[in-house]
Amino acid sequence: MRHYLGIDLGGTNIAAGVLDESYRIVSSAVRKTACPRPAQAIMDDMVAAAREAAEKAGIQLEELEYIGVGCPGSVNPENGFIQFSNNLAFYDVPMGEYLADRLGRPVLVENDANAAAYGEFLAGAASGEEIRNFIAITLGTGVGGGVILGGKIYGGSNHAGGELGHMVIQAGGRPCTCGRKGCWEAYASATGLIETTRESMRANPDSQLWKLADGDLSKVNGRTAFDGMRAGDDAAAQVVHAYIEALAAGLTNIINIFQPDLVSLAGGISKEGDALLVPLREIVDKEDYARFGSQRTRIAIAQLGNDAGVIGAALLGVKKG
């Protein structure tokens, strides 16, 4: 039986997993990333996690054709260098070469959002054979994106493509951590939703949002506005409507540019299900430039959850079909 091994390097955890031929995780191992610390120390823990996952699966590393890695930041998949990762404080780190030397196998390195998108492409929401063009969006602290065109990860000429959260949807709008104003991420991320909720609470002191947050703005989360809407609170319903409009604006832009077969949504907000999807699809259906065509982009919820990064990293050397 063939196996695959992937490592998902995050700011909090290092997760390694072994997949079987059906792309299911059969063993895993986790280490704390414990930033900030030297890149070599972090990579040594990546090696340890990979060896532990392989041992738990009952396989030898020599049985693997390659090992895949997903890492945040600007990653050059051609040479395995992490050019820059602000969360890890990595600058020109030769990760692929170092790990290959320690593990004795070829190592493929890719941006973590791209790896997660590839996981959904091969083993999750977009795993159907007919899907060749796919966009994965993660609604978390920021807005992460991965672009698959013609069955291949698209990274652009400098391997930094796919930063979908940093298109501007409101000129001169909210400041974004990237340095611009009005980015999609500033409105459509969980962080953006929380800020919109807090703005509404300040403007509506009688809103049930205050009760849901125990009267404390610091306790507002990505569910607060949706919970308030379900409780019949008008201010909360307006927040949700504004959030979905912002999400739809960016999503329609992406669809108009790429016209993919499918867009998947991941992250905590995606768990709202139909409360999110139904109105979102209604707006996009009206605004998509190809709305009169016979073939339309579908919008669905991602399927792999937190495992997408490990699965995608493990399958970096696999092609669909």
Side-chain angles (χ1 to χ4, degrees):
M1 176 180 288
R2 187 173 186 181
H3 290 89
Y4 308 89
L5 196 155
I7 305 171
D8 183 24
L9 173 59
T12 302
N13 292 316
I14 299 164
V18 174
L19 278 58
D20 62 15
E21 290 179 332
S22 299
Y23 303 161
R24 295 175 298 190
I25 295 177
V26 295
S27 71
S28 59
V30 178
R31 298 285 190 281
K32 290 294 182 184
T33 311
C35 293
R37 58 180 175 141
Q40 182 173 326
I42 291 175
M43 291 190 292
D44 285 343
D45 276 346
M46 294 170 70
V47 170
R51 291 189 181 281
E52 181 184 341
E55 183 178 350
K56 286 182 176 179
I59 64 171
Q60 300 294 318
L61 291 178
E62 291 74 16
E63 299 176 39
L64 301 170
E65 182 180 336
Y66 66 91
I67 293 170
V69 175
C71 178
S74 298
V75 178
N76 186 336
E78 295 177 3
N79 61 18
F81 265 70
I82 312 303
Q83 296 169 336
F84 173 61
S85 179
N86 60 306
N87 290 333
L88 300 172
F90 282 5
Y91 301 88
D92 286 329
V93 174
M95 179 172 288
E97 180 182 347
Y98 186 87
L99 295 180
D101 181 64
R102 295 292 308 277
L103 293 168
R105 307 307 302 147
V107 172
L108 306 179
V109 187
E110 182 56 84
N111 169 269
D112 60 344
N114 289 343
Y118 203 61
E120 287 289 346
F121 177 65
L122 287 179
S127 59
E129 287 296 326
E130 77 281 1
I131 296 176
R132 305 297 296 174
N133 302 298
F134 169 61
I135 311 289
I137 304 295
T138 299
L139 306 172
T141 303
V143 173
V147 179
I148 311 292
L149 298 179
K152 298 179 180 180
I153 294 172
Y154 175 77
S157 61
N158 60 353
H159 314 293
E163 289 292 342
L164 304 178
H166 298 293
M167 74 175 106
V168 170
I169 63 167
Q170 184 169 325
R174 285 180 184 165
C176 181
T177 56
C178 76
R180 304 184 78 191
K181 291 184 177 181
C183 284
W184 190 35
E185 177 172 294
Y187 298 91
S189 64
T191 306
L193 175 55
I194 289 168
E195 180 57 30
T196 304
T197 305
R198 288 172 176 165
E199 290 174 354
S200 179
M201 291 167 67
R202 294 186 188 103
N204 298 280
D206 296 328
S207 168
Q208 290 189 51
L209 290 168
W210 284 99
K211 182 179 179 181
L212 290 168
D214 295 328
D216 187 348
L217 288 172
S218 69
K219 293 185 178 180
V220 174
N221 59 41
R223 299 184 303 274
T224 305
F226 281 91
D227 288 343
M229 177 186 68
R230 283 186 282 267
D233 185 82
D234 289 340
Q238 291 173 16
V239 170
V240 171
H241 179 70
Y243 173 78
I244 292 175
E245 280 194 324
L247 181 59
L251 204 55
T252 304
N253 290 344
I254 290 167
I255 291 172
N256 285 345
I257 293 167
F258 294 107
Q259 291 298 335
D261 303 302
L262 176 70
V263 174
S264 74
L265 301 177
I269 297 172
S270 70
K271 296 178 181 178
E272 295 295 339
D274 284 348
L276 175 74
L277 280 181
V278 171
L280 178 66
R281 286 169 173 160
E282 288 178 356
I283 297 172
V284 174
D285 279 347
K286 292 177 182 177
E287 298 186 357
D288 172 13
Y289 189 80
R291 58 189 174 276
F292 300 114
S294 59
Q295 187 170 343
R296 304 290 302 280
T297 297
R298 293 188 292 113
I299 303 170
I301 301 300
Q303 296 178 1
L304 301 182
N306 293 333
D307 293 334
V310 167
I311 293 173
L315 298 178
L316 285 173
V318 176
K319 295 181 180 179
K320 182 180 282 190

